[in-house]
PDB file of all heavy atoms in Angstrom:
ATOM      1  N   ARG A  96       1.350  19.805  22.961  1.00 82.00           N
ATOM      2  CA  ARG A  96       1.377  19.232  24.295  1.00 82.00           C
ATOM      3  C   ARG A  96       2.591  18.348  24.587  1.00 82.00           C
ATOM      4  O   ARG A  96       2.947  18.175  25.756  1.00 82.00           O
ATOM      5  CB  ARG A  96       0.109  18.372  24.523  1.00 82.00           C
ATOM      6  CG  ARG A  96      -1.198  19.106  24.304  1.00 82.00           C
ATOM      7  CD  ARG A  96      -1.421  20.183  25.329  1.00 82.00           C
ATOM      8  NE  ARG A  96      -2.745  20.779  25.232  1.00 82.00           N
ATOM      9  CZ  ARG A  96      -3.134  21.854  25.891  1.00 82.00           C
ATOM     10  NH1 ARG A  96      -2.301  22.459  26.700  1.00 82.00           N
ATOM     11  NH2 ARG A  96      -4.357  22.338  25.742  1.00 82.00           N
ATOM     12  N   MET A 138       4.975  13.183  33.744  1.00 82.00           N
ATOM     13  CA  MET A 138       4.093  13.033  32.597  1.00 82.00           C
ATOM     14  C   MET A 138       2.683  13.455  33.016  1.00 82.00           C
ATOM     15  O   MET A 138       2.098  12.874  33.925  1.00 82.00           O
ATOM     16  CB  MET A 138       4.099  11.576  32.135  1.00 82.00           C
ATOM     17  CG  MET A 138       3.023  11.233  31.126  1.00 82.00           C
ATOM     18  SD  MET A 138       3.334  11.914  29.489  1.00 82.00           S
ATOM     19  CE  MET A 138       1.939  11.199  28.592  1.00 82.00           C
ATOM     20  N   PRO A 139       2.113  14.500  32.387  1.00 81.00           N
ATOM     21  CA  PRO A 139       0.775  14.950  32.786  1.00 81.00           C
ATOM     22  C   PRO A 139      -0.294  13.886  32.516  1.00 81.00           C
ATOM     23  O   PRO A 139      -0.166  13.073  31.594  1.00 81.00           O
ATOM     24  CB  PRO A 139       0.544  16.192  31.921  1.00 81.00           C
ATOM     25  CG  PRO A 139       1.900  16.630  31.503  1.00 81.00           C
ATOM     26  CD  PRO A 139       2.714  15.373  31.376  1.00 81.00           C
ATOM     27  N   ASN A 140      -1.337  13.913  33.301  1.00 84.00           N
ATOM     28  CA  ASN A 140      -2.484  13.004  33.123  1.00 84.00           C
ATOM     29  C   ASN A 140      -3.458  13.645  32.140  1.00 84.00           C
ATOM     30  O   ASN A 140      -4.504  14.180  32.504  1.00 84.00           O
ATOM     31  CB  ASN A 140      -3.160  12.709  34.463  1.00 84.00           C
ATOM     32  CG  ASN A 140      -3.504  13.970  35.244  1.00 84.00           C
ATOM     33  OD1 ASN A 140      -2.808  14.976  35.170  1.00 84.00           O
ATOM     34  ND2 ASN A 140      -4.585  13.917  36.012  1.00 84.00           N
ATOM     35  N   TRP A 141      -3.132  13.565  30.858  1.00 86.00           N
ATOM     36  CA  TRP A 141      -3.872  14.292  29.835  1.00 86.00           C
ATOM     37  C   TRP A 141      -5.330  13.861  29.759  1.00 86.00           C
ATOM     38  O   TRP A 141      -6.214  14.692  29.505  1.00 86.00           O
ATOM     39  CB  TRP A 141      -3.216  14.104  28.473  1.00 86.00           C
ATOM     40  CG  TRP A 141      -1.840  14.673  28.359  1.00 86.00           C
ATOM     41  CD1 TRP A 141      -0.673  13.978  28.150  1.00 86.00           C
ATOM     42  CD2 TRP A 141      -1.453  16.050  28.461  1.00 86.00           C
ATOM     43  NE1 TRP A 141       0.394  14.835  28.117  1.00 86.00           N
ATOM     44  CE2 TRP A 141      -0.053  16.104  28.298  1.00 86.00           C
ATOM     45  CE3 TRP A 141      -2.163  17.225  28.668  1.00 86.00           C
ATOM     46  CZ2 TRP A 141       0.656  17.305  28.336  1.00 86.00           C
ATOM     47  CZ3 TRP A 141      -1.457  18.424  28.714  1.00 86.00           C
ATOM     48  CH2 TRP A 141      -0.071  18.457  28.538  1.00 86.00           C
ATOM     49  N   GLY A 142      -5.609  12.581  29.971  1.00 87.00           N
ATOM     50  CA  GLY A 142      -6.982  12.107  29.862  1.00 87.00           C
ATOM     51  C   GLY A 142      -7.797  12.335  31.110  1.00 87.00           C
ATOM     52  O   GLY A 142      -8.862  12.952  31.071  1.00 87.00           O
ATOM     53  N   SER A 143      -7.300  11.848  32.250  1.00 85.00           N
ATOM     54  CA  SER A 143      -8.075  11.945  33.493  1.00 85.00           C
ATOM     55  C   SER A 143      -8.254  13.388  33.950  1.00 85.00           C
ATOM     56  O   SER A 143      -9.168  13.704  34.709  1.00 85.00           O
ATOM     57  CB  SER A 143      -7.422  11.112  34.599  1.00 85.00           C
ATOM     58  OG  SER A 143      -6.129  11.603  34.914  1.00 85.00           O
ATOM     59  N   SER A 144      -7.395  14.310  33.493  1.00 80.00           N
ATOM     60  CA  SER A 144      -7.551  15.728  33.833  1.00 80.00           C
ATOM     61  C   SER A 144      -8.622  16.399  32.992  1.00 80.00           C
ATOM     62  O   SER A 144      -9.041  17.516  33.287  1.00 80.00           O
ATOM     63  CB  SER A 144      -6.227  16.464  33.626  1.00 80.00           C
ATOM     64  OG  SER A 144      -5.919  16.577  32.239  1.00 80.00           O
ATOM     65  N   GLY A 145      -9.042  15.728  31.916  1.00 82.00           N
ATOM     66  CA  GLY A 145     -10.051  16.303  31.040  1.00 82.00           C
ATOM     67  C   GLY A 145      -9.486  17.118  29.889  1.00 82.00           C
ATOM     68  O   GLY A 145     -10.244  17.637  29.072  1.00 82.00           O
ATOM     69  N   GLU A 146      -8.151  17.215  29.778  1.00 82.00           N
ATOM     70  CA  GLU A 146      -7.570  18.022  28.705  1.00 82.00           C
ATOM     71  C   GLU A 146      -7.657  17.322  27.350  1.00 82.00           C
ATOM     72  O   GLU A 146      -7.706  17.983  26.315  1.00 82.00           O
ATOM     73  CB  GLU A 146      -6.127  18.384  29.042  1.00 82.00           C
ATOM     74  CG  GLU A 146      -6.011  19.250  30.283  1.00 82.00           C
ATOM     75  CD  GLU A 146      -4.834  20.198  30.238  1.00 82.00           C
ATOM     76  OE1 GLU A 146      -4.416  20.579  29.139  1.00 82.00           O
ATOM     77  OE2 GLU A 146      -4.338  20.549  31.310  1.00 82.00           O
ATOM     78  N   LEU A 474       7.662  22.309  38.309  1.00 97.00           N
ATOM     79  CA  LEU A 474       8.185  23.072  37.184  1.00 97.00           C
ATOM     80  C   LEU A 474       8.991  24.286  37.611  1.00 97.00           C
ATOM     81  O   LEU A 474       9.914  24.689  36.919  1.00 97.00           O
ATOM     82  CB  LEU A 474       7.031  23.530  36.277  1.00 97.00           C
ATOM     83  CG  LEU A 474       6.289  22.448  35.504  1.00 97.00           C
ATOM     84  CD1 LEU A 474       5.138  23.061  34.716  1.00 97.00           C
ATOM     85  CD2 LEU A 474       7.220  21.683  34.579  1.00 97.00           C
ATOM     86  N   THR A 489       3.973  22.126  41.985  1.00 97.00           N
ATOM     87  CA  THR A 489       3.959  20.711  41.583  1.00 97.00           C
ATOM     88  C   THR A 489       2.885  20.528  40.513  1.00 97.00           C
ATOM     89  O   THR A 489       2.042  19.644  40.591  1.00 97.00           O
ATOM     90  CB  THR A 489       3.689  19.792  42.792  1.00 97.00           C
ATOM     91  OG1 THR A 489       2.739  20.412  43.671  1.00 97.00           O
ATOM     92  CG2 THR A 489       4.948  19.526  43.576  1.00 97.00           C
ATOM     93  N   ALA A 490       2.938  21.378  39.493  1.00 96.00           N
ATOM     94  CA  ALA A 490       1.861  21.488  38.509  1.00 96.00           C
ATOM     95  C   ALA A 490       1.622  20.213  37.720  1.00 96.00           C
ATOM     96  O   ALA A 490       0.499  19.964  37.267  1.00 96.00           O
ATOM     97  CB  ALA A 490       2.167  22.635  37.557  1.00 96.00           C
ATOM     98  N   LEU A 491       2.651  19.380  37.526  1.00 94.00           N
ATOM     99  CA  LEU A 491       2.502  18.189  36.699  1.00 94.00           C
ATOM    100  C   LEU A 491       2.365  16.914  37.519  1.00 94.00           C
ATOM    101  O   LEU A 491       2.453  15.819  36.979  1.00 94.00           O
ATOM    102  CB  LEU A 491       3.677  18.071  35.728  1.00 94.00           C
ATOM    103  CG  LEU A 491       3.788  19.208  34.694  1.00 94.00           C
ATOM    104  CD1 LEU A 491       4.859  18.895  33.672  1.00 94.00           C
ATOM    105  CD2 LEU A 491       2.461  19.477  34.013  1.00 94.00           C
ATOM    106  N   ASN A 492       2.141  17.032  38.807  1.00 94.00           N
ATOM    107  CA  ASN A 492       1.867  15.846  39.611  1.00 94.00           C
ATOM    108  C   ASN A 492       0.481  15.315  39.263  1.00 94.00           C
ATOM    109  O   ASN A 492      -0.472  16.092  39.150  1.00 94.00           O
ATOM    110  CB  ASN A 492       1.955  16.188  41.097  1.00 94.00           C
ATOM    111  CG  ASN A 492       2.034  14.947  41.973  1.00 94.00           C
ATOM    112  OD1 ASN A 492       1.059  14.221  42.117  1.00 94.00           O
ATOM    113  ND2 ASN A 492       3.200  14.719  42.553  1.00 94.00           N
ATOM    114  N   PRO A 493       0.322  14.003  39.074  1.00 91.00           N
ATOM    115  CA  PRO A 493      -0.992  13.471  38.681  1.00 91.00           C
ATOM    116  C   PRO A 493      -2.046  13.513  39.783  1.00 91.00           C
ATOM    117  O   PRO A 493      -3.237  13.338  39.499  1.00 91.00           O
ATOM    118  CB  PRO A 493      -0.680  12.026  38.277  1.00 91.00           C
ATOM    119  CG  PRO A 493       0.575  11.683  38.987  1.00 91.00           C
ATOM    120  CD  PRO A 493       1.363  12.954  39.084  1.00 91.00           C
ATOM    121  N   PRO A 495      -4.455  15.469  41.959  1.00 95.00           N
ATOM    122  CA  PRO A 495      -5.011  16.831  41.932  1.00 95.00           C
ATOM    123  C   PRO A 495      -4.747  17.626  43.201  1.00 95.00           C
ATOM    124  O   PRO A 495      -4.548  18.841  43.140  1.00 95.00           O
ATOM    125  CB  PRO A 495      -6.511  16.598  41.725  1.00 95.00           C
ATOM    126  CG  PRO A 495      -6.609  15.260  41.084  1.00 95.00           C
ATOM    127  CD  PRO A 495      -5.481  14.459  41.664  1.00 95.00           C
ATOM    128  N   SER A 498      -1.171  18.878  42.590  1.00 97.00           N
ATOM    129  CA  SER A 498      -1.000  19.787  41.453  1.00 97.00           C
ATOM    130  C   SER A 498      -1.757  21.095  41.643  1.00 97.00           C
ATOM    131  O   SER A 498      -1.443  22.092  40.997  1.00 97.00           O
ATOM    132  CB  SER A 498      -1.462  19.121  40.157  1.00 97.00           C
ATOM    133  OG  SER A 498      -2.854  18.866  40.175  1.00 97.00           O
ATOM    134  N   GLN A 499      -2.751  21.109  42.540  1.00 98.00           N
ATOM    135  CA  GLN A 499      -3.554  22.309  42.757  1.00 98.00           C
ATOM    136  C   GLN A 499      -3.123  23.092  43.992  1.00 98.00           C
ATOM    137  O   GLN A 499      -3.816  24.006  44.436  1.00 98.00           O
ATOM    138  CB  GLN A 499      -5.032  21.916  42.869  1.00 98.00           C
ATOM    139  CG  GLN A 499      -5.584  21.337  41.571  1.00 98.00           C
ATOM    140  CD  GLN A 499      -7.022  20.878  41.678  1.00 98.00           C
ATOM    141  OE1 GLN A 499      -7.694  21.131  42.676  1.00 98.00           O
ATOM    142  NE2 GLN A 499      -7.498  20.199  40.651  1.00 98.00           N
ATOM    143  N   SER A 500      -1.964  22.761  44.534  1.00 98.00           N
ATOM    144  CA  SER A 500      -1.448  23.462  45.707  1.00 98.00           C
ATOM    145  C   SER A 500       0.052  23.666  45.551  1.00 98.00           C
ATOM    146  O   SER A 500       0.660  23.158  44.606  1.00 98.00           O
ATOM    147  CB  SER A 500      -1.747  22.663  46.982  1.00 98.00           C
ATOM    148  OG  SER A 500      -1.123  21.385  46.918  1.00 98.00           O
ATOM    149  N   ALA A 519      -5.559  26.605  44.421  1.00 98.00           N
ATOM    150  CA  ALA A 519      -6.730  26.418  43.560  1.00 98.00           C
ATOM    151  C   ALA A 519      -8.029  26.557  44.359  1.00 98.00           C
ATOM    152  O   ALA A 519      -9.011  27.100  43.851  1.00 98.00           O
ATOM    153  CB  ALA A 519      -6.667  25.062  42.866  1.00 98.00           C
ATOM    154  N   GLY A 527     -12.476  21.551  36.372  1.00 93.00           N
ATOM    155  CA  GLY A 527     -11.284  21.683  35.547  1.00 93.00           C
ATOM    156  C   GLY A 527     -10.045  21.182  36.243  1.00 93.00           C
ATOM    157  O   GLY A 527     -10.040  20.943  37.458  1.00 93.00           O
ATOM    158  N   PRO A 528      -8.947  20.987  35.507  1.00 94.00           N
ATOM    159  CA  PRO A 528      -7.705  20.468  36.087  1.00 94.00           C
ATOM    160  C   PRO A 528      -7.061  21.421  37.083  1.00 94.00           C
ATOM    161  O   PRO A 528      -6.391  20.988  38.016  1.00 94.00           O
ATOM    162  CB  PRO A 528      -6.805  20.226  34.871  1.00 94.00           C
ATOM    163  CG  PRO A 528      -7.388  21.064  33.774  1.00 94.00           C
ATOM    164  CD  PRO A 528      -8.854  21.122  34.036  1.00 94.00           C
ATOM    165  N   LYS A 529      -7.178  22.709  36.873  1.00 97.00           N
ATOM    166  CA  LYS A 529      -6.748  23.751  37.820  1.00 97.00           C
ATOM    167  C   LYS A 529      -5.316  23.558  38.325  1.00 97.00           C
ATOM    168  O   LYS A 529      -5.040  23.617  39.514  1.00 97.00           O
ATOM    169  CB  LYS A 529      -7.714  23.830  39.009  1.00 97.00           C
ATOM    170  CG  LYS A 529      -9.151  24.161  38.628  1.00 97.00           C
ATOM    171  CD  LYS A 529     -10.037  24.405  39.848  1.00 97.00           C
ATOM    172  CE  LYS A 529     -10.255  23.180  40.684  1.00 97.00           C
ATOM    173  NZ  LYS A 529     -11.130  22.201  40.012  1.00 97.00           N
ATOM    174  N   ARG A 530      -4.372  23.323  37.424  1.00 97.00           N
ATOM    175  CA  ARG A 530      -2.975  23.182  37.835  1.00 97.00           C
ATOM    176  C   ARG A 530      -2.429  24.530  38.304  1.00 97.00           C
ATOM    177  O   ARG A 530      -2.628  25.552  37.647  1.00 97.00           O
ATOM    178  CB  ARG A 530      -2.129  22.652  36.676  1.00 97.00           C
ATOM    179  CG  ARG A 530      -2.484  21.228  36.249  1.00 97.00           C
ATOM    180  CD  ARG A 530      -1.469  20.712  35.240  1.00 97.00           C
ATOM    181  NE  ARG A 530      -1.749  19.339  34.859  1.00 97.00           N
ATOM    182  CZ  ARG A 530      -2.396  18.985  33.745  1.00 97.00           C
ATOM    183  NH1 ARG A 530      -2.804  19.915  32.911  1.00 97.00           N
ATOM    184  NH2 ARG A 530      -2.619  17.725  33.472  1.00 97.00           N
ATOM    185  N   VAL A 531      -1.716  24.517  39.403  1.00 98.00           N
ATOM    186  CA  VAL A 531      -1.134  25.743  39.949  1.00 98.00           C
ATOM    187  C   VAL A 531       0.339  25.789  39.536  1.00 98.00           C
ATOM    188  O   VAL A 531       1.108  24.863  39.829  1.00 98.00           O
ATOM    189  CB  VAL A 531      -1.275  25.793  41.478  1.00 98.00           C
ATOM    190  CG1 VAL A 531      -0.558  27.018  42.047  1.00 98.00           C
ATOM    191  CG2 VAL A 531      -2.751  25.813  41.864  1.00 98.00           C
ATOM    192  N   VAL A 532       0.723  26.889  38.876  1.00 98.00           N
ATOM    193  CA  VAL A 532       2.049  26.918  38.264  1.00 98.00           C
ATOM    194  C   VAL A 532       2.722  28.271  38.434  1.00 98.00           C
ATOM    195  O   VAL A 532       2.091  29.308  38.444  1.00 98.00           O
ATOM    196  CB  VAL A 532       1.959  26.555  36.760  1.00 98.00           C
ATOM    197  CG1 VAL A 532       1.140  27.575  35.990  1.00 98.00           C
ATOM    198  CG2 VAL A 532       3.333  26.376  36.136  1.00 98.00           C
ATOM    199  N   GLN A 533       4.010  28.244  38.609  1.00 98.00           N
ATOM    200  CA  GLN A 533       4.981  29.327  38.566  1.00 98.00           C
ATOM    201  C   GLN A 533       4.747  30.466  39.546  1.00 98.00           C
ATOM    202  O   GLN A 533       4.101  31.454  39.238  1.00 98.00           O
ATOM    203  CB  GLN A 533       5.096  29.909  37.149  1.00 98.00           C
ATOM    204  CG  GLN A 533       6.449  30.554  36.940  1.00 98.00           C
ATOM    205  CD  GLN A 533       6.372  31.935  36.294  1.00 98.00           C
ATOM    206  OE1 GLN A 533       5.345  32.568  36.251  1.00 98.00           O
ATOM    207  NE2 GLN A 533       7.500  32.392  35.807  1.00 98.00           N
ATOM    208  N   PHE A 545       0.480  33.397  41.634  1.00 98.00           N
ATOM    209  CA  PHE A 545       0.386  32.027  41.129  1.00 98.00           C
ATOM    210  C   PHE A 545      -0.684  31.957  40.038  1.00 98.00           C
ATOM    211  O   PHE A 545      -1.771  32.515  40.198  1.00 98.00           O
ATOM    212  CB  PHE A 545      -0.001  31.044  42.242  1.00 98.00           C
ATOM    213  CG  PHE A 545       1.022  30.915  43.331  1.00 98.00           C
ATOM    214  CD1 PHE A 545       0.962  31.733  44.454  1.00 98.00           C
ATOM    215  CD2 PHE A 545       2.035  29.975  43.249  1.00 98.00           C
ATOM    216  CE1 PHE A 545       1.898  31.618  45.466  1.00 98.00           C
ATOM    217  CE2 PHE A 545       2.981  29.860  44.256  1.00 98.00           C
ATOM    218  CZ  PHE A 545       2.913  30.680  45.363  1.00 98.00           C
ATOM    219  N   SER A 546      -0.380  31.254  38.953  1.00 98.00           N
ATOM    220  CA  SER A 546      -1.389  30.990  37.927  1.00 98.00           C
ATOM    221  C   SER A 546      -2.167  29.730  38.303  1.00 98.00           C
ATOM    222  O   SER A 546      -1.568  28.706  38.656  1.00 98.00           O
ATOM    223  CB  SER A 546      -0.735  30.777  36.565  1.00 98.00           C
ATOM    224  OG  SER A 546      -0.087  31.936  36.114  1.00 98.00           O
ATOM    225  N   VAL A 547      -3.489  29.814  38.209  1.00 98.00           N
ATOM    226  CA  VAL A 547      -4.333  28.620  38.308  1.00 98.00           C
ATOM    227  C   VAL A 547      -4.766  28.311  36.876  1.00 98.00           C
ATOM    228  O   VAL A 547      -5.679  28.932  36.331  1.00 98.00           O
ATOM    229  CB  VAL A 547      -5.536  28.837  39.231  1.00 98.00           C
ATOM    230  CG1 VAL A 547      -6.296  27.527  39.408  1.00 98.00           C
ATOM    231  CG2 VAL A 547      -5.080  29.358  40.591  1.00 98.00           C
ATOM    232  N   TRP A 548      -4.051  27.381  36.273  1.00 97.00           N
ATOM    233  CA  TRP A 548      -4.126  27.061  34.842  1.00 97.00           C
ATOM    234  C   TRP A 548      -5.225  26.033  34.641  1.00 97.00           C
ATOM    235  O   TRP A 548      -5.049  24.858  34.923  1.00 97.00           O
ATOM    236  CB  TRP A 548      -2.758  26.559  34.400  1.00 97.00           C
ATOM    237  CG  TRP A 548      -2.654  25.936  33.050  1.00 97.00           C
ATOM    238  CD1 TRP A 548      -3.484  26.078  31.991  1.00 97.00           C
ATOM    239  CD2 TRP A 548      -1.609  25.057  32.606  1.00 97.00           C
ATOM    240  NE1 TRP A 548      -3.037  25.344  30.915  1.00 97.00           N
ATOM    241  CE2 TRP A 548      -1.885  24.716  31.274  1.00 97.00           C
ATOM    242  CE3 TRP A 548      -0.465  24.547  33.217  1.00 97.00           C
ATOM    243  CZ2 TRP A 548      -1.052  23.856  30.545  1.00 97.00           C
ATOM    244  CZ3 TRP A 548       0.356  23.699  32.486  1.00 97.00           C
ATOM    245  CH2 TRP A 548       0.067  23.360  31.166  1.00 97.00           C
ATOM    246  N   ASN A 549      -6.360  26.481  34.153  1.00 95.00           N
ATOM    247  CA  ASN A 549      -7.495  25.593  33.932  1.00 95.00           C
ATOM    248  C   ASN A 549      -7.620  25.262  32.453  1.00 95.00           C
ATOM    249  O   ASN A 549      -6.803  25.707  31.638  1.00 95.00           O
ATOM    250  CB  ASN A 549      -8.778  26.263  34.450  1.00 95.00           C
ATOM    251  CG  ASN A 549      -9.729  25.263  35.091  1.00 95.00           C
ATOM    252  OD1 ASN A 549      -9.526  24.057  35.023  1.00 95.00           O
ATOM    253  ND2 ASN A 549     -10.770  25.771  35.719  1.00 95.00           N
ATOM    254  N   GLY A 550      -8.649  24.498  32.081  1.00 91.00           N
ATOM    255  CA  GLY A 550      -8.873  24.168  30.698  1.00 91.00           C
ATOM    256  C   GLY A 550      -9.211  25.395  29.869  1.00 91.00           C
ATOM    257  O   GLY A 550      -9.662  26.427  30.394  1.00 91.00           O
ATOM    258  N   ALA A 556      -7.508  31.703  36.728  1.00 98.00           N
ATOM    259  CA  ALA A 556      -7.321  32.855  37.616  1.00 98.00           C
ATOM    260  C   ALA A 556      -5.854  33.004  37.976  1.00 98.00           C
ATOM    261  O   ALA A 556      -5.031  32.123  37.727  1.00 98.00           O
ATOM    262  CB  ALA A 556      -8.156  32.690  38.881  1.00 98.00           C
ATOM    263  N   PRO A 579      -3.803  30.981  31.822  1.00 98.00           N
ATOM    264  CA  PRO A 579      -2.578  31.683  32.230  1.00 98.00           C
ATOM    265  C   PRO A 579      -1.551  30.700  32.777  1.00 98.00           C
ATOM    266  O   PRO A 579      -1.882  29.798  33.543  1.00 98.00           O
ATOM    267  CB  PRO A 579      -3.073  32.641  33.324  1.00 98.00           C
ATOM    268  CG  PRO A 579      -4.265  31.947  33.905  1.00 98.00           C
ATOM    269  CD  PRO A 579      -4.916  31.228  32.757  1.00 98.00           C
ATOM    270  N   THR A 580      -0.309  30.871  32.393  1.00 97.00           N
ATOM    271  CA  THR A 580       0.774  30.006  32.908  1.00 97.00           C
ATOM    272  C   THR A 580       1.906  30.890  33.429  1.00 97.00           C
ATOM    273  O   THR A 580       1.850  31.364  34.546  1.00 97.00           O
ATOM    274  CB  THR A 580       1.245  29.014  31.835  1.00 97.00           C
ATOM    275  OG1 THR A 580       1.565  29.719  30.629  1.00 97.00           O
ATOM    276  CG2 THR A 580       0.170  27.977  31.538  1.00 97.00           C
TER     277      THR A 580
END
Side-chain angles (χ1 to χ4, degrees):
R96 304 293 187 189
M138 169 73 176
N140 51 328
W141 296 115
S143 63
S144 70
E146 297 211 27
L474 292 177
T489 37
L491 296 188
N492 195 289
S498 65
Q499 295 177 9
S500 61
K529 300 187 293 289
R530 294 188 178 99
V531 175
V532 63
Q533 205 227 16
F545 295 91
S546 296
V547 186
W548 169 21
N549 217 351
T580 52

